[in-house]
Amino acid sequence: MYHAPSDLNDALNIARGFDGKIIAGGTDVFPSAQQGKPPSAILDVTGIKDLKQISHGADGTRIGAAVTWSQIAGFDLPASFDALKQAALEVGSLQIQNAGTIAGNLCNASPAADGVPPLLALNAVVEVASQARGVRQIPVSEFLLGVRKTALEADELVTAVVIPPVPANMGAAFEKLGSRKYLVISITMTAAMISCDAQGRITEARIAVGACSPVAIRLPGSEASLMGQMPSELRVDPSHLGALSPIDDVRGSKGYRLDVVARQCERAIIRAANNG
Ligand SMILES: Cc1cc2nc3c(=O)[nH]c(=O)nc-3n(C[C@H](O)[C@H](O)[C@H](O)COP(=O)(O)OP(=O)(O)OC[C@H]3O[C@@H](n4cnc5c(N)ncnc54)[C@H](O)[C@@H]3O)c2cc1C
C-alpha cells in the first residue's frame, strides 16, 4: 500500500499504528531494502507542502523535514549556514541531492551522515509530531542515540529541523574526506563555526566531527581551548580529540582518522573565521 498524503494530519493519522516505512527521497530506504523485498507499506511525506519549505528570519530558521539537499544548497542563508550548505553539496551526487532530504539523513542515523556535524554546530533541534502526543522538540545531539538509532517513536514523523538565531558575525565551514571526490562515504568530516573579535582572535567556536564515533559529536574541550587564539596560528593536537572513538576499517585506521580530523579542524576554523 502506498500512502501519499498532502496534509500533515492525514500523515500523522496513517503513522498511528503504521506497519510500513516512512519515506522521503527513498535514497537510504530503497538501497538498503533487500532485493525483491520492498517495504510492505510506504508513507511518502514529500506531498506535504509545509514539509518542503525553508523559512529564515530574526527568530531562527526552520527547514521542513522533506527539504532536499539541493534546496538547502540553493537557498539564500547567511554565512553561518555555509557548513550546512557545503555538506549539502557533498551528499552523493546531484541526483541524490535532488531527492535526499535533511530528515532522511538524520533518521537514517549513519555515523557518516554528512548533514549531522553542521547541524550539531548550528545547535539544531529536531521537531517531531504524532497524533497522540502532539509536537516535541529534541536537540540533534539527543535525537541521535547510536548507529541507526534515533529517539523517534513509531507513530512519530519528523516535521522540521529548527535552528535558533546565530550570532551575526559567525562564519562556518565544512570539510569532508572521502576516498574520491564524489559519491563517497566520509572517512571523516568536520564542521566549524567561528566568531572573532576585531583583532581576529576567536571569541566563540563550535566544532563537530562525524564518522569518528557512533554518532557525530561536538568537541567542547577543543572549542574551549580555541578561545583567544588566532585561527591562522593554531594547531589542533590529536590528543585534544579524546572524545572521538574512530574505528580501524578498510577506509582508514583510527590513527589516520585522528590525524585527518586535526588537520580538518584547522582548515575549517580558518575558513569559517574568514567568512564570518
Ligand atoms: C548513491 C548514494 C550516495 C549517497 N551519498 C551520501 C553522502 O555522501 N553523504 C550522506 O550523508 N548520505 C549519502 N547517501 C545517503 C542518503 O542519500 C542521505 O542520507 C539522504 O539525506 C537520505 O534522505 P532521503 O529523503 O532519501 O531518506 P529516505 O531514504 O527516504 O529515508 C531515510 C530514513 O529516514 C526516515 N524518514 C525520512 N523522512 C522522515 C520523516 N519526515 N519522519 C520520520 N522518518 C523519516 C525513513 O523511514 C528512513 O528510515 C547516499 C545515498 C546513495 C544512494
Side-chain angles (χ1 to χ4, degrees), residues 196 200-203 225-235:
C196 294
R201 296 196 179 277
I202 295 174
T203 54
S225 75
L226 296 174
M227 292 304 102
Q229 295 208 49
M230 296 296 285
S232 56
E233 291 167 8
L234 65 87
R235 284 284 165 271

Side-chain angles (χ1 to χ4, degrees), residues 99-232:
T101 63
I102 191 163
N105 198 244
L106 281 167
C107 293
N108 192 52
S110 160
D114 286 322
V116 175
L119 291 174
L120 286 170
L122 284 162
N123 291 329
V125 168
V126 184
E127 183 188 273
V128 306
S130 67
Q131 208 168 55
R133 294 174 306 287
V135 175
R136 59 188 185 118
Q137 296 210 325
I138 312 167
V140 169
S141 56
E142 293 168 30
F143 180 79
L144 295 167
L145 302 179
V147 179
R148 312 281 177 208
K149 282 192 205 130
T150 71
L152 198 69
E153 301 285 346
D155 62 343
E156 283 177 326
L157 290 179
V158 175
T159 47
V161 176
V162 180
I163 293 137
V166 181
N169 68 338
M170 242 185 159
F174 178 76
E175 293 274 330
K176 167 171 173 170
L177 176 73
S179 54
R180 56 177 187 263
K181 181 70 190 108
Y182 295 107
L183 272 172
V184 69
I185 297 175
S186 289
I187 297 171
T188 66
M189 75 285 214
T190 301
M193 290 179 66
I194 299 290
S195 289
C196 294
D197 63 16
Q199 284 71 47
R201 296 196 179 277
I202 295 174
T203 54
E204 186 174 348
R206 305 181 191 174
I207 310 290
V209 172
C212 285
S213 44
V215 174
I217 53 169
R218 286 273 292 270
L219 298 176
S222 300
E223 291 173 359
S225 75
L226 296 174
M227 292 304 102
Q229 295 208 49
M230 296 296 285
S232 56

